[in-house]
Amino acid sequence: MMKNREERALIFYSAAVLLFFALSFGSGFTRIYGFTLFPDEFGYWSSAAAAAGYDWSKVTAHGSYYSFGYALILTPILIVCHQALWAYRIALIVNTLLLAAAFVLLQGIVGKLIPHSVPAQRVLSAGIAVCYPVWLLYRNMTMAEVLLAFCFVLLCFLMLRYLERPSFGRFTAAGLNAVYMYTVHMRSLPILCACIGCMTAVWLGGMKNRRMEFCRFGNDPDSAETRAMPHMLRRHLQWCGLAGALAVVGAAVLAAAYIKGWMRVAVYGKADSAMLAVNDYGGQITRVKSLFSRSGILEFAVSLTGKLYYLSAASFGLFFAGIWFFAKKITEKSAGFRDRIFALFFLLSAAGEILVCAIYTKGYGRIDGLCYGRYDELILPVLMAVGCFAVTQMRHPLRYAAAVILGGVPVTAMLEALIQSRGLTDMNGGYFISGLSYLLGYIPFEPEHYFWKAYAFAAILTFLLTGILLLVRRKKEYRWLLLVWIGVETLLGMSLSEQMVYSQSRVRYRDTRMVSALKELSGENGTAEEERGRRIVCYGGDDTGNYAAVVQFELREETICFFSPEETDMLTEYDLVMACEKEDRNMLAERYSEHEVYGIFHLYYNE
């Protein structure tokens, strides 16, 4: 009877989480008309365009390097779909499927790490992790964040399977996944190193104690066949298995380096080397060198503190609970070998990602740079899923919540002091600290008081979630409150999407109207040969929703024009087309390099 009740609860909660997930996506899907973050999204699509046979080099010549791994997903979409709007929306559907897959994988991860946990609660903890509001926001963009989060969850699952029974196949599966993460974004390098290092150590350790058989691809080490094998032959095959697995992963790394070199030529061949290096290794040398100065050390310390502050506040306090969970796995005597190695792998990966983010964004250029969260949020799904259980395992969860909340007060004061002393005002719309941007669309933005308001709201959410987890621990019948919390997360995610994605929809819709006007003009006044040569490079609007346009024609001579929002208020789409030969391309280069132009690619993508 009890088993049937648990099975019904499992089905109900799984269906409810997926329903929340689907509703949050479907409610705004048809309101999305193109890129939200430019040039980042354009950079990811550019590699896919080059692979699909399009030449966007005249635009990418003004931008910096973006990794090519995401293009492996985007390229088939560009090849199959011949309408830019639907190509973009298909990519958003892929994002949704990736998060849904992460939801399933997280349940498996929690089940392996906490084997005695109730299945229904695994579902709810995984739901809390994947319905993290920032993922629901990034799902509506073609940034690489959702793909990276999914790949890291998949890597954690593959690592656990490898640790259960190490083998050549499981080593290469996890290693290739880590290499692919690196090709999606180079900030994943610490994860790749932690993955290969831990798996190699486990393999060598198994060879030493002779209890783990790698050479037979999963055979039982206690089987008669294995015991009958000569020791030297067994040891030789073990070394061959390790060498073969490392060779496969090494070949993947070399292949990634070769493809990167090809992409730099094909996509960014006309780009300035200094601009191109901003997102590549060459642009990080100065940042690393500055760590050896007094001011550089201070900037790094501030940056690191800000990143930890953000991860704690954005995850509703579950970040440190998850870290405590894995730290405990390493130190407690009752933990098994697999759990300790996996905890070590995860902590090394998390530390590496946070350090990379802290180094890359150190300094006092923008408000969001002080606690930039986008680069290390990929570690949050697993931390939030296990963090839910960690809170319930604590003796005094409310004391933990109070410590987390009070610990953020001096950091908030420090950030506010830096904003005032440095005169910081720019925050790039709050996109990269979305977990602290829930109030941006509802209260006037005041740089001097931004973090106090944001952290106060985060503190309330942290206290509420901790209270719900404590209540569920004491009375299992209140488990449905976790589903209510997932609903709260969904509403927060929809709110972020409303203010950061859907608010741009009017501008994007006018973009499509401009495409229609250009097509009509081409059909009326252009020959078939001229029509094939006509393209739009990019056009869009600013944060306030005003309309602006950058148009390129490949007719007779190349000309590009830019209209300010004020000017375009007095112009129709048809007027923009007719006036397109009044400006030169220098203005495009200037506006693009300042990241003030939003991009879209309707006609340039041969619509």
Side-chain angles (χ1 to χ4, degrees):
M1 186 70 178
M2 181 66 69
K3 183 178 180 180
N4 291 335
R5 185 183 303 171
E6 288 295 335
E7 289 178 352
R8 288 196 299 269
L10 179 64
I11 295 173
F12 170 76
Y13 288 130
S14 299
V17 171
L18 293 175
L19 180 61
F20 274 127
F21 201 63
L23 289 176
S24 66
F25 178 67
S27 62
F29 177 69
T30 57
R31 298 169 60 189
I32 300 174
Y33 287 88
F35 300 155
T36 298
L37 290 178
F38 188 77
D40 299 62
E41 290 189 78
F42 187 86
Y44 293 124
W45 282 92
S46 295
S47 296
Y54 300 105
D55 181 13
W56 294 3
S57 59
K58 293 176 183 176
V59 179
T60 55
H62 302 292
S64 54
Y65 173 76
Y66 288 89
S67 297
F68 65 87
Y70 195 10
L72 296 182
I73 294 176
L74 300 179
T75 300
I77 298 175
L78 282 178
I79 293 174
V80 173
C81 184
H82 299 288
Q83 292 187 351
L85 174 60
W86 279 103
Y88 189 86
R89 288 178 174 177
I90 290 172
L92 301 185
I93 294 174
V94 172
N95 281 346
T96 303
L97 296 176
L98 290 175
L99 283 182
F103 172 59
V104 176
L105 290 172
L106 280 170
Q107 296 176 52
I109 291 172
V110 173
K112 293 178 182 297
L113 293 175
I114 313 172
H116 301 297
S117 57
V118 178
Q121 193 157 343
R122 295 177 199 168
V123 170
L124 292 170
S125 66
I128 290 174
V130 297
C131 288
Y132 172 54
V134 179
W135 296 138
L136 301 185
L137 169 67
Y138 277 120
R139 180 191 56 187
N140 292 322
M141 308 177 194
T142 53
M143 299 290 284
E145 313 316 312
V146 169
L147 177 58
L148 283 171
F150 164 76
C151 286
F152 186 62
V153 170
L154 176 59
L155 178 60
C156 290
F157 183 80
L158 293 174
M159 278 291 294
L160 285 170
R161 284 180 53 82
Y162 171 80
L163 293 171
E164 286 177 345
R165 193 185 67 182
S167 68
F168 173 86
R170 295 185 178 189
F171 189 113
T172 54
L176 292 177
N177 183 81
V179 173
Y180 177 67
M181 283 189 68
Y182 172 73
T183 67
V184 174
H185 204 291
M186 290 186 295
R187 71 176 185 263
S188 303
L189 179 61
I191 296 176
L192 172 61
C193 294
C195 173
I196 301 304
C198 287
M199 288 196 300
T200 302
V202 169
W203 191 296
L204 294 175
M207 291 173 59
K208 184 176 180 180
N209 61 31
R210 303 181 186 179
R211 289 292 303 164
M212 303 174 74
E213 179 65 27
F214 305 95
C215 63
R216 303 300 293 172
F217 299 91
N219 277 11
D220 183 1
D222 294 324
S223 66
E225 181 184 0
T226 302
R227 288 197 303 267
M229 184 182 298
H231 172 68
M232 292 302 297
L233 176 60
R234 185 165 63 244
R235 178 60 61 91
H236 176 72
L237 291 176
Q238 288 171 344
W239 278 111
C240 289
L242 175 60
L246 290 175
V248 171
V249 176
V253 172
L254 293 177
Y258 175 80
I259 297 174
K260 177 183 176 182
W262 180 82
M263 284 293 182
R264 284 175 65 98
V265 175
V267 182
Y268 305 97
K270 299 180 181 179
D272 177 74
S273 58
M275 172 64 73
L276 190 61
V278 170
N279 287 335
D280 207 346
Y281 288 117
Q284 316 314 314
I285 297 176
T286 303
R287 292 186 176 94
V288 174
K289 286 182 177 179
S290 67
L291 292 175
F292 298 96
S293 65
R294 183 176 179 181
S295 60
I297 293 174
L298 180 60
E299 288 180 357
F300 172 73
V302 170
S303 180
L304 180 61
T305 303
K307 306 313 177 280
L308 296 174
Y309 165 88
Y310 173 83
L311 290 171
S312 176
S315 65
F316 318 114
L318 295 178
F319 168 73
F320 284 116
I323 294 296
W324 174 79
F325 175 88
F326 286 116
K328 188 179 178 182
K329 286 289 184 183
I330 293 179
T331 57
E332 65 183 8
K333 295 181 180 180
S334 60
F337 173 77
R338 181 196 69 182
D339 291 342
R340 289 184 179 181
I341 293 297
F342 180 79
L344 177 63
F345 155 73
F346 192 93
L347 292 177
L348 288 175
S349 299
E353 291 303 292
I354 293 172
L355 289 174
V356 166
C357 183
I359 294 172
Y360 183 79
T361 60
K362 73 181 183 65
Y364 311 113
R366 288 200 322 244
I367 292 175
D368 57 347
L370 298 175
C371 56
Y372 195 97
R374 171 191 158 208
Y375 272 14
D376 42 27
E377 281 178 303
L378 77 163
I379 66 175
L380 284 184
V382 175
L383 285 175
M384 292 180 70
V386 300
C388 291
F389 288 92
V391 170
T392 60
Q393 293 172 1
M394 295 177 180
R395 291 184 179 180
H396 305 288
L398 292 180
R399 292 183 185 179
Y400 164 77
V404 169
I405 293 171
L406 294 176
V409 172
V411 182
T412 306
M414 177 194 72
L415 296 176
E416 290 286 350
L418 286 173
I419 291 173
Q420 295 184 29
S421 63
R422 302 282 176 170
L424 305 181
T425 58
D426 182 22
M427 198 169 62
N428 199 22
Y431 289 99
F432 302 139
I433 52 171
S434 302
L436 290 175
S437 300
Y438 301 118
L439 302 179
L440 275 179
Y442 305 97
I443 60 175
F445 173 61
E446 298 174 334
E448 295 82 4
H449 307 292
Y450 172 76
F451 280 111
W452 282 121
K453 297 173 182 177
Y455 196 74
F457 187 63
I460 294 172
L461 295 175
T462 298
F463 186 80
L464 288 175
L465 178 57
T466 305
I468 291 174
L469 290 171
L470 179 59
L471 187 60
V472 170
R473 183 180 74 174
R474 292 177 177 176
K475 297 183 179 181
K476 303 300 183 183
E477 60 268 22
Y478 286 104
R479 194 178 293 149
W480 58 270
L481 287 174
L482 293 175
L483 188 61
V484 174
W485 178 261
I486 294 174
V488 171
E489 285 187 314
T490 303
L491 291 175
L492 291 173
M494 293 173 68
S495 175
L496 287 176
S497 295
E498 184 67 41
Q499 59 181 299
M500 296 184 179
V501 178
Y502 305 147
S503 62
Q504 303 286 343
S505 62
R506 183 175 68 88
V507 174
R508 306 299 173 241
Y509 177 63
R510 296 191 68 179
D511 289 339
T512 62
R513 290 177 61 193
M514 184 174 178
V515 170
S516 299
L518 281 168
K519 285 185 173 181
E520 292 175 5
L521 180 65
S522 177
E524 293 173 0
N525 301 329
T527 65
E529 181 177 357
E530 291 172 335
E531 183 177 352
R532 286 194 298 270
R534 190 170 297 185
R535 298 289 184 270
I536 290 182
V537 174
C538 53
Y539 46 94
D542 63 8
D543 288 336
T544 63
N546 292 316
Y547 189 78
V550 180
V551 181
Q552 173 186 325
F553 277 83
E554 296 179 353
L555 298 175
R556 302 183 184 87
E557 58 182 359
E558 296 177 358
T559 58
I560 293 180
C561 69
F562 177 86
F563 295 96
S564 68
E566 293 77 14
E567 292 172 327
T568 55
D569 284 341
M570 300 178 290
L571 297 172
T572 66
E573 289 89 343
Y574 190 84
D575 294 329
L576 290 174
V577 175
M578 298 303 294
C580 68
E581 296 187 1
K582 292 183 178 179
E583 303 289 344
D584 59 31
R585 68 182 304 151
N586 292 330
M587 188 170 293
L588 169 64
E590 178 184 352
R591 304 293 279 185
Y592 189 98
S593 62
E594 294 175 1
H595 294 187
E596 294 180 6
V597 176
Y598 289 79
I600 201 168
F601 62 134
H602 285 283
L603 281 189
Y604 199 84
Y605 164 49
N606 282 354
E607 180 174 280

